[in-house]
């Protein structure tokens, strides 16, 4: 079993599905149901997982959200989206994510409020400038536009900027920001469109792994038996992990926003 920052994923042998979960905001359902993949957490990560799994052909995907979609970490997110990342693999993930924004809007008709404003990173030390040059050297194979810019270009782009101490900059014209709530709604709509089920007002109270590797997931509506269980609970991920005896090294950080 692999433990990631946002998910706990147990891979087991694939067996024929025993049934589907009927997902709605109706609290009358209390019978035990079955799922191939159960996702705990209805934020951007959880809905994105549900959307992609269902779109790629995974059957019986169900997302469990204790209140309503985006009520946790996603609600607090600033929505910054960047092509830039120092890691090659993560940069590819960033690229695919931003390119998905236009596709998800076309698929679902849900606008996500994406604005490609561009970003300008400034270097104030020689070491930082060398880092930018190193990033440019690693960027040669990447399709996203990224430019090393000099002082004149920086001043032209931002005439009001105090240029004292600036040595250079790194410009990513495709970076921007989106509305996390709208993006999550679009991902949820896409997940439903491809057959995933979303249960809101469905808190998970306990999880137990069975001998065959599947999971029992307790909710006020009943117990769901899932072949795979994903913890996408954001800043509640540690508490969700503790339901099954896992103490994930995750600590929420309180940010001050101006």
């Amino acid at each position: 079993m692999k433990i990631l920052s946002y998910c706990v994923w147990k891979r087991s042998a694939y067996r024929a599905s025993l049934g589907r979960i009927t997902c709605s905001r109706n609290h009358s359902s209390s019978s035990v149901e079955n799922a191939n993949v159960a996702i705990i957490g209805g934020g951007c990560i959880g809905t994105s997982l549900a959307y992609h799994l269902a779109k790629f052909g995974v059957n019986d995907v169900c997302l469990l959200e204790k209140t309503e979609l985006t009520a946790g970490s996603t609600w607090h997110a600033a929505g910054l989206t960047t092509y830039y990342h120092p890691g090659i693999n993560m940069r590819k993930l960033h690229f695919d994510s931003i390119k998905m924004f236009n596709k998800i809007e076309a698929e679902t008709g849900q606008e996500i409020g994406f604005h490609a404003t561009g970003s300008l990173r400034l270097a104030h030390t020689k070491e930082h400038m060398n880092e930018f040059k190193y990033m440019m050297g690693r960027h040669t194979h990447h399709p996203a536009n990224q430019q090393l810019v000099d002082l004149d270009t920086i001043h032209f782009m931002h005439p009001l900027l105090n240029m004292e101490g600036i040595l250079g900059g790194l410009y990513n014209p495709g970076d921007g920001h989106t509305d996390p709530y709208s993006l999550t709604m679009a991902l949820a709509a896409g997940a439903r469109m491809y057959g995933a089920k979303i249960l809101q007002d469905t808190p998970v109270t306990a999880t137990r792994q069975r001998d065959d590797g599947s999971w029992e997931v307790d909710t006020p509506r009943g117990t769901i038996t899932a072949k795979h269980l994903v913890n996408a609970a954001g800043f509640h991920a540690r508490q969700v992990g503790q339901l099954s005896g896992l103490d994930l090294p995750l600590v929420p950080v309180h940010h001050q926003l101006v």
Side-chain angles (χ1 to χ4, degrees):
M1 181 165 52
K2 298 180 180 179
I3 302 175
L4 305 179
S5 296
Y6 282 103
C7 65
V8 179
W9 184 275
K10 172 63 185 178
R11 298 183 181 271
S12 60
Y14 186 88
R15 300 181 301 167
S17 174
L18 299 178
R20 290 180 177 272
I21 299 174
T22 301
C23 298
S24 67
R25 299 196 72 162
N26 184 355
H27 292 268
S28 62
S29 175
S30 59
S31 61
V32 176
E33 303 287 353
N34 301 275
N36 187 1
V37 180
I39 301 168
I40 303 173
C44 189
I45 297 295
T47 54
S48 179
L49 284 168
Y51 165 74
H52 284 92
L53 288 173
K55 184 175 182 178
F56 292 154
V58 178
N59 296 321
D60 301 318
V61 175
C62 185
L63 184 148
L64 309 172
E65 164 55 43
K66 69 175 182 177
T67 54
E68 60 183 77
L69 299 181
T70 76
S73 306
T74 297
W75 185 87
H76 295 81
L80 302 180
T81 56
T82 64
Y83 284 114
Y84 173 84
H85 194 279
I88 294 177
N89 293 331
M90 287 301 299
R91 187 180 302 179
K92 177 65 165 58
L93 182 61
H94 284 206
F95 180 84
D96 292 343
S97 297
I98 294 177
K99 291 302 181 184
M100 179 200 70
F101 292 164
N102 291 332
K103 296 178 182 178
I104 195 73
E105 283 192 342
E107 279 183 304
T108 66
Q110 168 70 51
E111 294 186 3
I112 64 170
F114 175 65
H115 302 279
T117 58
S119 68
L120 179 62
R121 293 170 174 80
L122 304 177
H124 291 81
T125 65
K126 182 179 179 180
E127 290 75 17
H128 202 178
M129 197 64 204
N130 288 337
E131 179 187 354
F132 286 169
K133 294 177 181 179
Y134 174 70
M135 289 296 103
M136 287 301 300
R138 291 164 57 91
H139 188 77
T140 53
H141 71 287
H142 199 276
N145 189 359
Q146 179 174 283
Q147 307 168 25
L148 200 63
V149 291
D150 58 21
L151 297 181
D152 290 339
T153 304
I154 294 173
H155 181 68
F156 176 80
M157 295 173 65
H158 195 336
L160 301 180
L161 185 65
N162 181 359
M163 300 296 296
E164 184 178 355
I166 297 176
L167 302 181
L170 194 67
Y171 176 52
N172 295 81
D175 287 1
H177 59 89
T178 189
D179 173 23
Y181 175 86
S182 298
L183 176 59
T184 301
M185 294 301 111
L187 291 167
R192 293 187 184 100
M193 184 173 63
Y194 289 109
K197 309 300 180 182
I198 296 178
L199 281 75
Q200 300 184 72
D201 300 319
T202 308
V204 172
T205 57
T207 59
R208 295 176 299 278
Q209 190 169 24
R210 304 167 71 180
D211 292 339
D212 63 358
S214 63
W215 292 82
E216 293 178 352
V217 184
D218 292 345
T219 77
R221 303 189 189 195
T223 299
I224 298 171
T225 301
K227 297 172 186 175
H228 309 283
L229 181 63
V230 180
N231 177 354
F235 51 59
H236 298 293
R238 186 172 188 178
Q239 290 90 327
V240 170
Q242 289 171 343
L243 294 177
S244 58
L246 294 173
D247 190 14
L248 303 178
L250 303 175
V251 179
V253 177
H254 182 78
H255 291 271
Q256 292 182 340
L257 304 179
V258 178

